[in-house]
Amino acid sequence: MHFFRGQMYQVHPERTLESSSIQGVSWTPLLDTVYMAPSESMKQASVQKVVKAGRTLCSVLLSAFPNLIRDRKHHFRNYRQCCSGKELVDALLSLSHMIQSRSQTIGIWQVLVDEALLIHVKKDLNFHDKENQFYRMVDAQIAKVETANEKEQEEELVESLSWLMQLGPDALLTMILRKQPCQRTKEELELIFEELLHIKAVSHLSNLVKWELASVLVFESHAKAGTVLFHQGEKGTSWYIIWKGSVNVVTHGKGLVTTLHEGDDFGQLALVNDAPRAATIILREDNCHFLRVDKQDFNRILKDVEANTVRLEEHGKVVLVLEKSPSGGGIIEEEAPAKSSMYTVMAGTPEKILEHLLETMRLTSSTNDHTDTFVSDFLLTHSVFMPTPMFCQALLHHFQNEPTEGSDQERASYSLRKRQKIMHLVSQWVELYGQLLREDPTAMKFLEKMVEYFSSESQLAGLLKEHFQDHRKIRTPELSASTLKRNKQVQNEVNLFASLDDGCNKPIMRPQDKILYDIYRPDLSCIISLLPVNASVQDVIASVENQSEATRDLTLVKVSCSGDRTELKLDDREVYTSLGLNERLFICATVEMDSLIPHPDQFGPRTGTADILELYNSRDLANQLNEYDWELFNCIHEVELLHYVFGPQNFRSATTANLDRFIRHFNELQFWVVTELCLCSDLNRRAQLLRKFIKVAAILREHKNLNSFFALMFGLSNSAVSRLAKTWERLPNKTKKLYSTFEALLDPSRNHRAYRLTVAKMSPPIIPLLPLLLKDMTFIQVGNKTYVDNLINFDKMRMIATSVRQVQHCRSQLCVPVSPLRSRMDRIVPDSMAMRISTYSTMSLSFENLSGIHTYLRGLRVISVQRTLSQLSRELEP
């Protein structure tokens, strides 16, 4: 029943990109457990459930439509006791309101075809939604057996459909890929294209190439491990992407070189160089699936890409590379040439990319525009290739530069148009970065100068005032009462800085904010220093030296609860806010470093808090946790994700402290679940506590708080908890079924396809699984060069920005928890349709107890050493 009990999902705060490993999120095998591949555990757990769900579905369907199975006649041929594909789809759509579309229904029936519970009369492996395609149900007589009562039957139908709906999209996509490329419809090509967006092997390719691949990919599967796909020295005929399974790469003389897994590719080199295969590929496991591109199609796509690429040169050097958009659309500008409106920037010099942006952008373009993302792509990522001083200087140059050709009227019109675009771009920049610009003296000096320029021209001043009024209408619901009053005072002024005041009432950590640093000596005594968030190691050491009047050379060391020691470099920054779970900072002489031991507090609590948790209603606990999560999530600026992935060392004046805090909270929740269960010695109380955690996870999923939902689920699937068989046995069957349903979302196969499909069906507000988003961005960062031929790889910037925009989308509607802990003024909502409000249970606790939950969740203490947790678990149930 429990899928991934042998693994732990944990975020690692270290973001060193010197190694080839992906930092951020990893599946880490735990100690004292037997590792089982996720695909194998998924297969073992799902086959019996599919059979049971299929039989339940057929039973209910035949009871509701007794004439569904009957003799058929088509093209003078008789087919006994069967039903048509179209009738099956129609019947299932009318049977349940859970199913929203025909494609979703086709996916469900395809699952039953794949498991041979539904068989085509001509043994076709694909399900067809057609009147003249006939199917037989296996053991139709058994399927007609009815369950004990109507209520039980309805519950089993809901459970069966929920399970089949999770498997349906994957089965539908496999069915589409089995088709010949020429038989795929436009809608089917779009589904394949969406899948390619999440496959590691093609992450570096442009959308044009991915769209071309969607139309030529061939599905290929092999059943047995040990099958040789091709031998070293053979002629290369195809490029392969591993869609499911893994393969071994073997070469003459060296034997096994490496193992490739889901999302990896092989065979491309032989096609590019027109050379023999450089290695032998052998299937490592049964039932491997591949996406294949044959040589002819591969070469054609390369030629098409080159034909659709335009390179602009200045002084004999390429300065801008454009590629034709897949849909022929893309950037549209009323006055721009038709040719440029169909092309997307792939690479270029920073100055030329900015120039092209100003030429092609519309005055209505915004960072929230989903049809034309060029403005958003540039502004979200410009700090990587065009730091703020360089960006401000370039904009000033464009603003002051006057055209030299054309009549006076033409030059004046061109200048006004260009300045309007610059003003619009600057206002979008201010709106996006907000308070971050207040911390940057260069940005503030530039903005003050731009306000002077804009105010001196009446047309620009009017346009800026109009933009500010539109912005205030959009942002009003999330502003506090004090901010609303302040905005009233400036509503008749030209105010470019209005956006800088937004969110000033949030507990956001900024680079220069001062916080208390707890720094320990070798004797475990503590020194407390008040230092900025982005203080360097050198600053921390200097502060300690001033307090202790030490004269010897000191070093700052990060010590984990397991005793690992990491000496920090003098120029490292944000060392306190980036500490991992139960990590501490120690200061000592270099010779004392090896003798450092963890502080006793780092080992976590010795007694649990089950007696306190028993007092809290599950819904109140989940609601308070959800409110706290939103508080932390809203403090994260989108650009922090970019700084985190590219490495904070590349952005000395920036901070990722808010993101680090959120990640640490994710890890804390995961170990909180394990700690409390392993410290609860009474079996009955432990079973009740386990049930409470599952209920809290269910409520968090209702709130679309997927980050904490997954944190709790990863805690429940930890090996120290999963092995507590007696505890799990005491759960009610309903709770077990609920947990089993949630567990399917943990499946990491197909690049966490189950989770991604779930999120795609949700509407904001959502708290996504942020560690997975960071993992996606890390793959993009590591797998794609930032510079190609001395040009900025802007296609990489576009992919990074697309990932960052997921956070913007999740927060595009406000979540305002209605809590007794909030003042009445903070809960005034001018437009009730502009946001969704989470509500509390009618069984809610008193104000005092809610305050207790609030305090409890902000002071969690956990054990984060897996060996200790496993030992405690064995003591509970040997």
Side-chain angles (χ1 to χ4, degrees), residues 302-317:
L302 288 181
K303 291 179 181 177
D304 287 349
V305 169
E306 189 61 31
N308 288 313
T309 301
V310 174
R311 291 176 173 81
L312 303 181
E313 295 186 4
E314 289 183 358
H315 307 295
K317 293 183 179 180

Side-chain angles (χ1 to χ4, degrees), residues 527-590:
I527 303 172
I528 300 176
S529 294
L530 185 64
L531 294 166
V533 168
N534 69 341
S536 67
V537 170
Q538 193 168 6
D539 297 332
V540 176
I541 294 175
S543 174
V544 172
E545 288 176 339
N546 291 336
Q547 291 188 48
S548 61
E549 298 181 357
T551 56
R552 55 182 177 170
D553 291 335
L554 297 176
T555 185
L556 198 64
V557 183
K558 181 170 63 176
V559 179
S560 70
C561 53
S562 59
D564 295 332
R565 309 172 193 89
T566 304
E567 185 177 3
L568 301 174
K569 299 176 182 177
L570 289 177
D571 60 345
D572 286 344
R573 293 180 178 273
E574 296 190 11
V575 292
Y576 192 76
T577 55
S578 62
L579 286 174
L581 203 57
N582 286 339
E583 288 184 338
R584 298 290 187 273
L585 289 178
F586 280 73
I587 193 162
C588 64
T590 306

Side-chain angles (χ1 to χ4, degrees), residues 732-751:
N733 288 331
K734 186 176 181 181
T735 306
K736 290 179 182 178
K737 288 180 180 180
L738 181 65
Y739 178 76
S740 182
T741 301
F742 291 161
E743 212 173 22
L745 292 176
L746 272 64
D747 179 15
S749 63
R750 306 283 172 83
N751 197 11

